[in-house]
Structure formats: structure tokens, C-alpha cells
Amino acid sequence: MTDRESDVFAFVKSYIEARFSGAFITGEPVKAPPSFPCVSIIETDNAVYERAASLSRMENAASLTVTVEVYSNRAVGKKAECRALAALAGDALALMGFQRLMLNPVQNLADATVYRLTGRYRALMT
């Protein structure tokens, strides 16, 4: 199996931390962030890229999907803060060859004071 999850997480995390201080960054799903702002970076799909498989069916590449969830609870500017963090995550992922599939706000029904953005990115990785 092509397993690059920790590499992707470490790169995106360090990229964000070098440009934005104080964000809680995790590689696990978050139901209620322990602190804000919060960025969750999760590999949500890892599928064999069959065109790159050898004749013996050895996996040489995978199509990876990464989901980024960004949360902010600022009284003023929470949307801007989420968008800035999502942009940093997207820039880091682009440097690794990922393309953005979507970036959408998500209604946070559990707590309307928290703004939330979800982005999905895909890349072929060896």
C-alpha cells in the first residue's frame, strides 16, 4: 500500500505553523475542537491507481484524497480566519501535487458561533 498520510500531514502542518501561529492542527477527525482556530488534515481515501500497477499487480501509485476541516470561533473575522488557514493548507497541498476538488462552508448546527470550512484535495502519489 502507498502510505503517505504522515508525510502529507507533517508537511502541511509545518507549512501552516511557519506562517500562522496559534492554530491547533490535528490529523484526526474533530467533533468539538479543543481550541481555536483548528485545522484537521485527514487522508479520507487511498485507492490503488491501477494504471500504475505492474504486471504482477504490485501497487506503484495511489490516488489519495485529503480532507481539510478548518474551524474558527472568533467574534469578528471568523470567516476570514478560516479562509486564510484553508488557503495555507491548500498552498501546502498544491506544493505536494494535490488539486483542490472543493472548498465549501459547512453549517455548524451543533454550535452556530463556530465557522467551518471543508476542503477536499486529490493527488496521485508513489
Side-chain angles (χ1 to χ4, degrees):
M1 179 173 105
T2 302
D3 186 1
R4 299 284 305 277
E5 182 176 14
S6 14
D7 297 335
V8 171
F9 174 77
F11 183 79
V12 177
K13 182 178 191 283
S14 66
Y15 188 91
I16 293 171
E17 287 176 338
R19 291 156 181 83
F20 191 103
S21 63
F24 173 75
I25 303 172
T26 182
E28 298 180 5
V30 176
K31 184 174 182 178
S35 64
F36 292 93
C38 175
V39 181
S40 173
I41 306 157
I42 305 164
E43 180 182 281
T44 50
D45 191 25
N46 181 327
V48 174
Y49 184 63
E50 292 184 26
R51 290 182 176 180
S54 66
L55 292 175
S56 62
R57 305 297 294 159
M58 182 175 172
E59 179 180 323
N60 294 312
S63 174
L64 304 182
T65 302
V66 171
T67 300
V68 175
E69 301 272 357
V70 184
Y71 304 82
S72 176
N73 69 344
R74 289 177 72 175
V76 176
K78 61 182 120 190
K79 180 178 180 179
E81 184 174 57
C82 277
R83 294 192 73 74
L85 283 163
L88 288 173
D91 291 348
L93 288 164
L95 288 171
M96 297 187 80
F98 283 83
Q99 288 187 320
R100 182 171 44 85
L101 302 174
M102 57 81 83
L103 179 64
N104 294 326
V106 176
Q107 279 191 327
N108 198 350
L109 299 176
D111 185 353
T113 65
V114 175
Y115 189 83
R116 178 177 163 196
L117 278 176
T118 298
R120 284 203 184 77
Y121 304 81
R122 183 175 298 143
L124 288 178
M125 293 277 190
T126 57

